[in-house]
Amino acid sequence: MLGTVGSQQSSVSWTGSLTAGQTAVVNLTGSTTFAMGSSYVVSVHVFNPNGGTDVNANNDSIKQTVCPSMVGTFTINPSGSGALNFTSFSAAVSALSCGGMAGPVTFVVSNGTYNEQISIGNISGTSATNRLRFVSASGDSSACVISYNGTYTVQLNGSKYVTFRKIGITSTSQYALYFIGTSPSEDSIANCLITAPSGATGSYVGIYGGTTGVITNLTIYNNAIVNGYYGI
């Protein structure tokens, strides 16, 4: 029997015999529509193995959280609604990390200050043709800002083919934009306003590279980097 939380599918009878440790492929009937950007708990249960009573019912069920792959244009708007809107950067990145991408994905971000910290890893499905983009709706990087008081505001942790365009990235503590992880590549930071803390300490940096590998083909273009002991 297959089902998601709140939606149970029909049971399927399977005929055959399995010894301990053997496996079999069972094709299930029915269908469930998964909306992009949402996560689902899929639960599978078996009963009456080999036509008899199961003497150990503790291993008859399995649950797995799944997310559909994303493709297309979405919005980030705290006041927005609907299946294509996320109310925060964190919610958008969480959905991407769970389901990956099946094509190019663009998040159009409404004006406002987003007080949050995000870390973007190597999202499944990104490529030269399937780029992940975060762009401001207004085109004004001073009006569309993600800000955080911590080690970093935006971390690109081994990310590939990620673009931030016309977004303000502000740190009130240390690094505004932090590259880390194994060999980030093909990322692009363009027309952004990068703001680091003011002060005479080397840990106040606009864009900082702390990666364990080599950063390749990174584009940093036409940005304004404000304050900080170092710009980059």
Side-chain angles (χ1 to χ4, degrees):
M1 182 170 61
L2 168 70
T4 59
V5 173
S7 176
Q8 181 173 310
Q9 302 297 311
S10 300
S11 298
V12 174
S13 296
W14 180 81
T15 301
S17 180
L18 293 176
T19 60
Q22 277 190 309
T23 62
V25 176
V26 179
N27 294 317
L28 305 173
T29 60
S31 63
T32 297
T33 300
F34 292 164
M36 286 190 296
S38 299
S39 62
Y40 300 84
V41 177
V42 176
S43 178
V44 179
H45 308 270
V46 296
F47 49 90
N48 295 338
N50 295 329
T53 301
D54 193 348
V55 297
N56 181 13
N58 294 322
N59 61 357
D60 289 356
S61 302
I62 186 171
K63 292 183 179 181
Q64 180 69 45
T65 299
V66 298
C67 308
S69 297
M70 300 176 67
V71 61
T73 300
F74 302 83
T75 56
I76 297 178
N77 183 347
S79 301
S81 61
L84 301 182
N85 182 74
F86 294 85
T87 56
S88 67
F89 279 89
S90 298
V93 172
S94 178
L96 283 166
S97 299
C98 181
M101 293 167 41
V105 171
T106 297
F107 291 97
V108 181
V109 187
S110 295
N111 282 356
T113 298
Y114 297 79
N115 295 303
E116 53 182 319
Q117 179 187 58
I118 60 170
S119 177
I120 303 175
N122 186 7
I123 303 296
S124 174
T126 57
S127 67
T129 54
N130 296 341
R131 181 170 281 275
L132 169 60
R133 295 178 174 89
F134 295 87
V135 302
S136 66
S138 65
D140 185 351
S141 60
S142 68
C144 178
V145 178
I146 177 171
S147 177
Y148 192 74
N149 181 22
T151 304
Y152 62 86
T153 300
V154 174
Q155 181 186 76
L156 297 180
N157 188 358
S159 61
K160 293 174 173 57
Y161 301 101
V162 176
T163 293
F164 281 84
R165 183 162 58 87
K166 298 182 178 180
I167 301 283
I169 303 174
T170 297
S171 171
T172 59
S173 178
Q174 198 165 346
Y175 311 132
L177 182 60
Y178 186 23
F179 288 89
I180 196 172
T182 304
S183 303
S185 65
E186 311 295 342
D187 295 324
S188 175
I189 312 299
N191 304 103
C192 291
L193 176 61
I194 311 295
T195 305
S198 298
T201 171
S203 63
Y204 292 171
V205 184
I207 300 176
Y208 181 79
T211 178
T212 56
V214 177
I215 301 174
T216 57
N217 296 334
L218 169 64
T219 300
I220 300 175
Y221 174 76
N222 203 35
N223 302 281
I225 302 178
V226 180
N227 300 330
Y229 188 79
Y230 299 109
I232 300 177

